[in-house]
């Protein structure tokens, strides 16, 4: 889940390492300019890409769940054990448009979601 998408615009994040007299590294979204805190190191300090991505994940995790959904994500709703697939979200109304396994579409508020994609077990432990 390195390149967990941007919660603001859905853009694909990037990792940037600038080297010169020491280095600066940061991760974030080139599309809208949301970046996690950069870190600087001097010449005897190695860049740490994994830590940089972790700061991005920490930042994204603070956004409301509805902003972290992707089209095609799977969620569970209350009173049903069927997987529902995200068709889209309406942030202004705070509604999530879902399609069930029978192809029927309906809208839900975030309170109607029982399990978010990141709370569902990943098949084979494969991260997306
Ligand atoms: Zn963005």
């Amino acid at each position: 889940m390195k390149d967990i998408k941007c919660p603001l615009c859905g853009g694909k994040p990037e990792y940037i390492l600038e080297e010169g007299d020491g280095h600066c590294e940061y991760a974030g979204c080139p599309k809208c300019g949301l970046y996690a805190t950069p870190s600087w190191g001097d010449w005897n300090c190695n860049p740490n890409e994994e830590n940089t991505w972790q700061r991005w994940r920490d930042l994204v995790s603070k956004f409301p769940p509805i902003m972290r959904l992707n089209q095609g994500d799977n969620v569970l709703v209350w009173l049903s054990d069927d997987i529902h697939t995200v068709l889209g979200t309406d942030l202004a109304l705070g509604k999530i448009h879902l399609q069930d396994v029978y192809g029927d579409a309906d809208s839900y508020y975030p309170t109607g979601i029982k399990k978010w994609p990141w709370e569902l077990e990943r098949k084979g432990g494969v991260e997306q």
Side-chain angles (χ1 to χ4, degrees), residues 22-84:
H23 68 263
C24 174
E25 57 181 336
Y26 48 102
C29 175
K31 206 168 150 191
C32 72
L34 177 71
Y35 283 87
T37 315
S39 75
W40 289 269
D42 61 20
W43 59 273
N44 62 0
C45 166
N46 291 325
N48 190 325
E49 183 174 346
E50 185 44 39
N51 279 355
T52 303
W53 278 119
Q54 189 55 48
R55 287 197 302 279
W56 168 251
R57 289 191 292 264
D58 290 347
L59 175 67
V60 172
S61 73
K62 293 180 180 113
F63 281 81
I66 190 173
M67 295 184 74
R68 295 158 59 194
L69 283 177
N70 287 311
Q71 194 177 15
D73 278 350
N74 291 327
V75 298
L76 283 178
V77 300
W78 294 105
L79 305 177
S80 170
D81 288 326
D82 293 329
I83 288 286
H84 286 58

Side-chain angles (χ1 to χ4, degrees), residues 66 69 75-80 82-91 93-101 104-114 116:
I66 190 173
L69 283 177
V75 298
L76 283 178
V77 300
W78 294 105
L79 305 177
S80 170
D82 293 329
I83 288 286
H84 286 58
T85 306
V86 176
L87 296 173
T89 54
D90 186 327
L91 293 180
L93 293 177
K95 292 199 103 172
I96 302 163
H97 306 301
L98 299 176
Q99 188 173 40
D100 66 17
V101 288
D104 294 325
D106 205 351
S107 292
Y108 293 82
Y109 287 108
T111 48
I113 306 296
K114 184 165 69 174
W116 299 94

